[in-house]
Amino acid sequence: MNILVCIKQVPDTKIIKINPKTNTLDRSSAPAILNPYDAHAVQEAVRLKEVHGGKVTVLSMGPPQAKVAIKKCVEIGADEGYLISDRRFAGADTLATSYALYKAIQKLMDEQGIDLVLCGKHAIDGDTGQVGPGIARRMEIPPLTNVIKVEEVDLKEKRMKVRRKIEDGYELIQSELPCLLTVEKEINDVAYSPLPNMIKAARYNPIVWTVDDLDDVDIKQLGLKGSPTIVGKMWPPEKSAGAEMIDGDVKKQAKALVEHMLEKRELFEVKGGEKV
Amino acid sequence: MSEKFDVIVVGAGPAGTSCAYTAAKNGLKVLLIERGEFPGAKNVMGGILYRKQMEEIIPEFWKEAPLERPVVEQRFWFMDKESMVTTSYKGLEWAQEPYNNFTVLRAKFDKWFADKAVEQGALLINETVVTECIVEDEKVVGVRTDRPDGEIYADVVVLADGVNSLLAKKLGFHKEWKPEEVALTVMEVMKMPKGSINERFNVEDNQGVSVEIFGESTKGALGTAFLYTNKDSINIGVGTTLSGMIKKKMKPHQLLEELKSHPMIKPYLEGAETLEYLAHLIPEGGYNSIPKLVGDGVMVIGDAAQLVNAIHREGSNMAMASGKMAAETILKAKELGEFTERNLDSYRTDLYDSFIGKDLKKYKDAAHTFEEHPVYFEQYVPLMNRAMSTMFTVDGTAKWDKQKKIMNSFTAGRGKLGVAKDLYRAWRVVK
Ligand SMILES: Cc1cc2nc3c(=O)[nH]c(=O)nc-3n(C[C@H](O)[C@H](O)[C@H](O)COP(=O)(O)OP(=O)(O)OC[C@H]3O[C@@H](n4cnc5c(N)ncnc54)[C@H](O)[C@@H]3O)c2cc1C
Ligand SMILES: Cc1cc2nc3c(=O)[nH]c(=O)nc-3n(C[C@H](O)[C@H](O)[C@H](O)COP(=O)(O)OP(=O)(O)OC[C@H]3O[C@@H](n4cnc5c(N)ncnc54)[C@H](O)[C@@H]3O)c2cc1C
């Protein structure tokens, strides 16, 4: 089973600062890390490989420093990593990103065959969650988003079953193979990498492709030129006011909560729990 | 059996990286293992990097390394509660190549340096803790890490794991350090605009100042405080021997807070914002505390070997020099074909013959003496301050009378003989 995982290097948004003048991320203020969801995607691929055999390949679009994120994937257990890196990819929005990744996937598909594509649920910097479905659409394979568990893989019949997280529970879905999954963190725990993987990763040099290494690329669909997204305005979300904790037994809590909601919505003219 | 290397170096601080760099450059297969997220991530140093020993590893490193400022002035402040006596040397020859020393931020510097070792062919793995040496037939043959399948083998294991060196301790090379053998130091990196630094310390953009502070900064305990200028931040810290802290019942962070609000220091810090707070031990046992340095298949370098000259705050340079010597010894042992204690022992003799052994020997009784006789820090610094105040306050008293008064104040507490003894003792341990 050959599995391809798309991975992105992102600034660690847990600690990143926002430039107060331009309202953009100050990328120098935070270290670049592997998008946390993508780490789970790679881990899942490695797990499936252990069961079904085959190979795990990771693919990323980004600047040369993104090699570090690819090496991290080798630590987790990926066999190979490709970086597509070229000035002409720069400034891509989700449409152009998924196009570029799709072109690289096509080439890998021709070279080695791909049974399954994995992505993270979303990237913690861009946050759109559109790249995965964008790739699936172009590949004309089913996108299964928000996957929390792979239930079954049947390579003979070329189909798989997964659990998708939905608002009030989960959904069990069967799909043909190949298909594309975007994964949630619940899907697995990223294991502490074994020492031989660490050594392999330290030695590993990802394969770098430029636009010229891809076939039949429409340059107009790449990078800034291929990106119809226009950023109108950016601003940090307003800080929400401090939360109020309600304690007591269930009855007491329910009462306090209802009172609070009624008061807040100004229904029934309730104040301090009393009708006025 | 898993892969085998020529050398495994544990710890990517200045000692380990120097060793890995030198060994890899000479064609050895080197694995450098670091527990931090990256080399330097948690490493702590006041910040003075010495040019000489670094240059012997990477010539003209200053053209490329992430350094802060070349130090052009070294100041010494002997501080009392509301006064200080100062002395300094400033020389613009230090503002030009090849410079004398530099301020650095270790998080940046260590990472850069380790990348240089990787360029020479060393393999670096981070976020991996070495838990112990693998010993077979009383010979160290590799290390065990905290990772799954975590055993890895080598002809020689070099322990550069810093001051605590649990690994050397596990091998029985040394015991737990005693409270008087280590100094506990805390420091802060504080953000300050370049312009303010230049103005307050009277320097230009690419010139730095180091300030060593004695006396009130440690409440008279054996230790020092420091203030160093980076590009657009400053490092301020204070430390005393652990035994000093215990004796005086001081908390290190409290000492630092008091230092920061001391009237002689406070104006320098106006508007500065704390970026990082760090705490670390410094090995200060000196010559008498150097542990066993060599065994079959194993060597100890840097802080792990207690190689710090506390009086001159030299540590990183000794770490580097020892790392280089260790690598050179391994190369020689490789020619001999065996990595026995005997074949590795020239590291120990080279080290003792070098400036490291000589300097540590010179001061071997200093720390011990100053610790036993706290008068130097507790009494003489305030006395110096009062002497200056008396001498320079114009109040109609004749200078002869003032000098007499000063002499009396020195001998009042300790007697003439006492002072003579104190002076002789101090001279003897630093001569
Ligand atoms: C409004 C807006 C404006 C933007 N403007 C700009 C701009 O002007 N210039 C600019 O450079 N960027 C810009 N970006 C960022 C850029 O569009 C996205 O970072 C990029 O297209 C990926 O989208 P995402 O981060 O939302 O990823 P998501 O769709 O959230 O990512 C989901 C998954 O897709 C995969 N994936 C995503 N990106 C990659 C990748 N590069 N390589 C491999 N796999 C990947 C990963 O598996 C990831 O987990 C903008 C983003 C937004 C939302
Ligand atoms: C506050 C302070 C100020 C100082 N000021 C100066 C100064 O101005 N100038 C100067 O020259 N010296 C100074 N020193 C001393 C100097 O910092 C040290 O002498 C020097 O860092 C020693 O280098 P090292 O490589 O031996 O150890 P370290 O720099 O401590 O490096 C040890 C490395 O080993 C890693 N490690 C430890 N255990 C393990 C393990 N089990 N597995 C894997 N990795 C491990 C650590 O993460 C670390 O990266 C100062 C020290 C302090 C604390």
Side-chain angles (χ1 to χ4, degrees), chain A:
Chain A
M1 184 179 195
N2 287 349
I3 307 174
L4 181 105
V5 190
C6 294
I7 65 112
K8 185 183 184 187
Q9 190 183 45
V10 295
D12 192 342
T13 50
K14 279 202 300 293
I15 47 179
I16 201 164
K17 294 200 179 85
I18 291 177
N19 181 331
K21 280 187 205 114
T22 58
N23 273 329
T24 50
L25 300 182
D26 173 11
R27 282 175 193 266
S28 66
S29 70
I33 58 169
L34 170 64
N35 182 36
Y37 292 93
D38 302 354
H40 290 271
V42 176
Q43 179 70 55
E44 194 59 16
V46 170
R47 195 188 67 78
L48 290 172
K49 177 189 123 171
E50 274 163 14
V51 181
H52 303 282
K55 183 175 156 194
V56 175
T57 306
V58 301
L59 168 66
S60 188
M61 179 175 91
Q65 307 88 277
K67 279 186 198 168
V68 178
I70 293 178
K71 289 177 127 198
K72 193 92 204 166
C73 298
V74 175
E75 288 179 10
I76 299 172
D79 297 289
E80 249 192 328
Y82 290 81
L83 175 68
I84 56 171
S85 193
D86 195 311
R87 292 222 149 270
R88 288 170 282 180
F89 292 131
D93 67 3
T94 60
L95 197 70
T97 301
S98 55
Y99 177 72
L101 291 173
Y102 160 65
K103 280 290 156 191
I105 294 173
Q106 251 189 341
K107 177 157 173 165
L108 289 167
M109 192 101 161
D110 292 346
E111 282 180 7
Q112 42 189 272
I114 293 170
D115 301 300
L116 179 68
V117 181
L118 296 184
C119 286
K121 178 183 99 168
H122 66 224
I124 59 170
D125 58 341
D127 245 7
T128 67
Q130 293 172 355
V131 171
I135 294 169
R137 177 66 193 82
R138 294 175 194 279
M139 290 178 73
E140 294 180 23
I141 59 173
L144 309 182
T145 54
N146 304 78
V147 171
I148 51 173
K149 191 173 182 201
V150 173
E151 290 280 351
E152 206 182 291
V153 179
D154 189 337
L155 285 177
K156 259 203 216 106
E157 297 295 323
K158 283 196 170 296
R159 62 177 186 225
M160 77 188 298
K161 249 189 231 161
V162 301
R163 274 190 204 188
R164 283 190 67 226
K165 184 168 163 180
I166 50 176
E167 208 136 301
D168 46 3
Y170 67 85
E171 190 172 77
L172 195 59
I173 288 205
Q174 179 170 292
S175 162
E176 62 185 42
L177 283 175
C179 63
L180 180 144
L181 316 184
T182 78
V183 308
E184 298 269 358
K185 286 184 182 172
E186 294 100 299
I187 195 163
N188 55 38
D189 291 324
V190 179
Y192 195 47
S193 306
L195 189 63
N197 286 13
M198 300 297 291
I199 293 172
K200 184 178 170 203
R203 270 199 192 111
Y204 190 73
N205 233 330
I207 300 152
V208 182
W209 282 346
T210 67
V211 171
D212 302 325
D213 293 306
L214 306 180
D215 304 322
D216 310 321
V217 178
D218 175 8
I219 299 285
K220 286 196 299 300
Q221 294 192 53
L222 290 178
L224 207 51
K225 261 191 253 151
S227 299
T229 311
I230 294 168
V231 181
K233 191 181 166 201
M234 288 206 252
W235 65 96
E238 257 174 51
K239 274 215 177 104
S240 57
E244 190 186 321
M245 298 302 285
I246 302 176
D247 351 88
D249 59 26
V250 177
K251 260 195 178 153
K252 231 171 161 181
Q253 285 189 27
K255 182 162 181 280
L257 184 63
V258 170
E259 278 166 14
H260 187 83
M261 283 165 68
L262 291 179
E263 195 171 317
K264 203 156 188 185
R265 304 233 168 129
E266 295 178 354
L267 295 172
F268 308 112
E269 296 173 325
V270 171
K271 203 154 200 172
E274 300 296 326
K275 208 162 172 322
V276 291

Side-chain angles (χ1 to χ4, degrees), chain B residues 216-256:
Chain B
E216 179 63 18
S217 54
T218 57
K219 306 278 175 218
L222 175 59
T224 58
F226 58 84
L227 181 58
Y228 301 146
T229 56
N230 300 320
K231 277 203 179 86
D232 46 18
S233 63
I234 55 142
N235 289 356
I236 181 165
V238 58
T240 81
T241 51
L242 194 53
S243 50
M245 293 259 178
I246 296 169
K247 231 181 275 167
K248 300 217 164 212
K249 297 199 172 58
M250 296 185 297
K251 298 222 170 63
H253 64 269
Q254 195 184 333
L255 212 51
L256 183 56

Side-chain angles (χ1 to χ4, degrees), chain B residues 10-16 33-36 40 43-50 106 110 128-130 160-163 167 185 187 226 228 280-282 301-304 307-308 313-317 319:
Chain B
V10 184
I33 306 180
E34 167 57 45
R35 71 174 167 198
N43 291 351
V44 183
M45 179 161 110
I48 307 298
L49 178 87
Y50 300 91
R106 285 280 299 274
D110 287 13
T128 302
V129 180
V130 172
D161 52 339
V163 54
L167 300 172
T185 321
M187 63 174 275
F226 58 84
Y228 301 146
H280 207 274
L281 291 176
I282 306 182
I301 62 177
D303 272 14
L307 305 180
V308 168
R313 57 120 162 77
E314 291 178 27
S316 61
N317 58 333

